[in-house]
């Protein structure tokens, strides 16, 4: 139940973030025509940036007071962002609706949802988390095609109004079905004080090895998602609007399958090598790695702490790629080398954590 409802939450919420490339392509030609690709990619990066900054707070609060209150508030913020987007007309409107509101919603929900399977699963924990996080890719795959068709046929306002209704329905169902296993303390009972800065993490070199890997991988992970539709139009000038969104759909579908399969394999072969090598699975395996290393009792807070390493990638990864693209007269090869190099470097940094915990080539530590 926890796995299915978590999947539903991520499917309808973060799936819209996975389809940002479609938004960016549409805005550059219609609503925000004339706005640079760098600014638009910054807009697309903003929800992830806000999520990574505040996830550590909501994660720790969720561990202390329970998940459902924060999930409810996050759902309200998400639906409000969708409705607000429908009525946005200027750039600063979108930075509020698709930037601040969506980022706040993600910060309230994401660290709790990816931590929830840790309460219910042990042997197949990575597989369960992989299924849930795959929902973001599945939502992006489905949403990118539907969204492109709806934007072309109905315009921004009607398309976002319809999506707001769909998301509100799905989030309501998910909230009613979610069940926590580790409940918050009852009123009047002795409660455990929240530890905002846990030195057991901060002085552990394995934690920093994981964190630096995540930092580098995320820096190179987002730009392809954001620029894929634009890249398709550059390479195939006569492509239709709908077909330009197909590569984004294929990317998200493959990511959904990959995150699920890698989670399944990671339960058997060892988390860290797979986590660093297949960077698209970084988010799906980070809670599983954290639970394996430090236990599930404070998993949401630790997941939020690890997400802080996403800040450079979420905030600057796509804008930097946009700036490089503009400065080199659309040299896509250089952009690919930059982003691929970041992810390879992240995998190399993770080798310390992997062999520190288990020196064997194949081992679950």
């Amino acid at each position: 139940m926890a796995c299915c409802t978590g999947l539903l939450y991520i499917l309808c919420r973060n799936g819209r973030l996975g389809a940002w490339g479609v938004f960016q392509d549409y805005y550059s030609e219609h609503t925000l025509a004339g706005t640079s690709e760098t600014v638009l990619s910054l807009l697309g990066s903003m929800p992830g940036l806000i999520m990574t900054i505040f996830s550590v707070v909501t994660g720790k609060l969720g561990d202390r007071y329970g998940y459902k209150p924060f999930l409810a508030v996050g759902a309200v913020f998400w639906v409000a962002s969708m409705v607000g987007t429908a009525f946005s007309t200027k750039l600063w409107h979108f930075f509020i609706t698709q930037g601040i509101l969506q980022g706040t919603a993600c910060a309230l929900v994401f660290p709790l949802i990816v931590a929830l399977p840790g309460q219910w699963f042990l042997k197949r924990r990575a597989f369960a988390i992989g299924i849930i996080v795959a929902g973001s890719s599945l939502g992006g795959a489905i949403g990118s095609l539907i969204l492109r068709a709806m934007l072309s046929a109905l315009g921004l306002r009607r398309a976002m109004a319809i999506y707001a209704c769909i998301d509100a329905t799905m989030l309501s169902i998910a909230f009613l079905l979610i069940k926590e296993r580790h409940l918050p303390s009852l009123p009047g009972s002795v409660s455990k004080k929240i530890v905002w800065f846990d030195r057991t993490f901060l002085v552990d070199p394995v934690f920093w090895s994981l964190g630096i890997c995540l930092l580098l991988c995320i820096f190179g992970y987002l730009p392809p998602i954001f620029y894929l539709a634009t890249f398709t139009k550059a390479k195939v000038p006569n492509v239709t609007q709908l077909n330009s969104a197909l590569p984004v759909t294929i990317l998200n579908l493959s990511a959904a399958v990959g995150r699920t399969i890698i989670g399944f394999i990671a339960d058997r072969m060892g988390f860290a090598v797979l986590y660093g090598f297949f960077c698209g699975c970084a988010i799906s395996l980070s809670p599983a790695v954290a639970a394996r290393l430090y236990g599930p009792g404070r998993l949401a807070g630790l997941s939020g702490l690890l997400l802080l390493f996403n800040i450079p990638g979420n905030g600057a990864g796509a804008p930097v790629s946009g700036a490089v693209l503009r400065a080199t007269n659309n040299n896509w090869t250089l952009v690919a080398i930059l982003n691929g190099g970041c992810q390879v470097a992240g995998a190399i940094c993770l080798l310390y954590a992997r062999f520190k915990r288990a020196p064997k080539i194949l081992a679950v530590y």
Side-chain angles (χ1 to χ4, degrees):
M1 182 68 72
C3 185
C4 293
T5 52
L7 172 61
L8 187 60
Y9 247 101
I10 298 296
L11 176 65
C12 66
R13 297 184 65 261
N14 282 18
R16 215 67 67 246
L17 301 181
W20 175 255
V22 174
F23 277 113
Q24 181 163 324
D25 183 56
Y26 179 83
Y27 289 160
S28 65
E29 295 184 353
H30 298 87
T31 312
L32 300 174
T35 305
S36 71
E37 294 288 341
T38 302
V39 173
L40 290 177
S41 62
L42 178 61
L43 172 60
S45 301
M46 193 172 178
L49 179 62
I50 293 175
M51 179 187 74
T52 54
I53 292 174
F54 294 105
S55 285
V56 63
V57 177
T58 55
K60 288 182 177 293
L61 291 175
D63 284 336
R64 169 62 180 83
Y65 297 107
Y67 292 3
K68 296 197 73 172
F70 298 97
L71 295 178
V73 176
V76 171
F77 270 84
W78 180 263
V79 175
S81 74
M82 300 296 287
V83 174
T85 300
F87 293 94
S88 297
T89 57
K90 298 180 180 179
L91 182 61
W92 68 270
H93 296 167
F94 291 98
F95 269 98
I96 292 176
T97 57
Q98 288 189 294
I100 296 175
L101 288 179
Q102 284 191 8
T104 302
C106 291
L108 287 166
V109 170
F110 190 79
L112 308 182
I113 286 297
V114 296
L116 189 63
Q119 298 182 354
W120 295 91
F121 296 90
L122 178 60
K123 184 178 179 181
R124 295 180 174 85
R125 179 180 289 145
F127 185 39
I129 295 174
I131 292 175
I132 288 178
V133 182
S136 64
S137 298
L138 183 59
I142 298 172
S144 57
L145 282 182
I146 297 177
L147 186 60
R148 178 70 264 185
M150 290 178 63
L151 288 172
S152 299
L154 303 176
L156 180 66
R157 179 167 298 184
R158 291 183 180 179
M160 289 299 98
I162 293 172
Y163 257 123
C165 293
I166 294 173
D167 284 356
T169 301
M170 296 179 69
L171 289 168
S172 298
I173 295 172
F175 180 79
L176 293 175
L177 293 178
I178 279 179
K179 182 179 180 181
E180 296 181 60
R181 194 170 188 177
H182 301 300
L183 299 176
S185 303
L186 296 175
S189 62
V190 179
S191 59
K192 190 174 181 180
K193 185 178 179 181
I194 298 176
V195 179
W196 293 107
F197 299 100
D198 195 329
R199 286 182 56 84
T200 59
F201 301 144
L202 301 181
V203 300
D204 187 353
V206 170
F207 169 81
W208 288 103
S209 177
L210 290 171
I212 294 173
C213 168
L214 192 60
L215 184 154
L216 292 171
C217 286
I218 296 300
F219 198 95
Y221 171 64
L222 289 178
I225 299 176
F226 286 8
Y227 288 101
L228 192 52
T230 304
F231 173 79
T232 302
K233 286 187 174 181
K235 295 300 180 180
V236 189
N238 296 324
V239 69
T240 65
Q241 295 287 354
L242 183 59
N243 287 339
S244 69
L246 279 176
V248 181
T249 300
I250 295 172
L251 183 150
N252 280 289
L253 282 174
S254 62
V257 174
R259 284 171 167 174
T260 304
I261 293 176
I262 294 304
F264 179 79
I265 296 174
D267 285 320
R268 291 155 176 77
M269 294 179 61
F271 296 106
V273 169
L274 294 168
Y275 167 92
F277 189 72
F278 297 95
C279 62
C281 304
I283 297 176
S284 64
L285 288 186
S286 58
V289 174
R292 176 71 64 175
L293 293 175
Y294 302 105
R298 43 185 177 167
L299 183 54
L302 179 54
S303 296
L305 186 61
L306 285 173
L307 283 174
L308 288 177
F309 288 95
N310 293 6
I311 291 176
N314 279 322
V320 166
S321 291
V324 171
L325 196 64
R326 186 177 64 255
T328 59
N329 195 24
N330 293 333
N331 188 331
W332 290 98
T333 301
L334 185 59
V335 173
I337 292 173
L338 171 64
N339 293 300
C342 286
Q343 295 173 67
V344 172
I348 293 174
C349 289
L350 191 64
L351 291 176
Y352 174 83
R354 173 60 177 84
F355 290 106
K356 179 70 173 180
R357 283 291 188 263
K360 296 180 181 180
I361 298 298
L362 299 178
V364 177
Y365 55 84

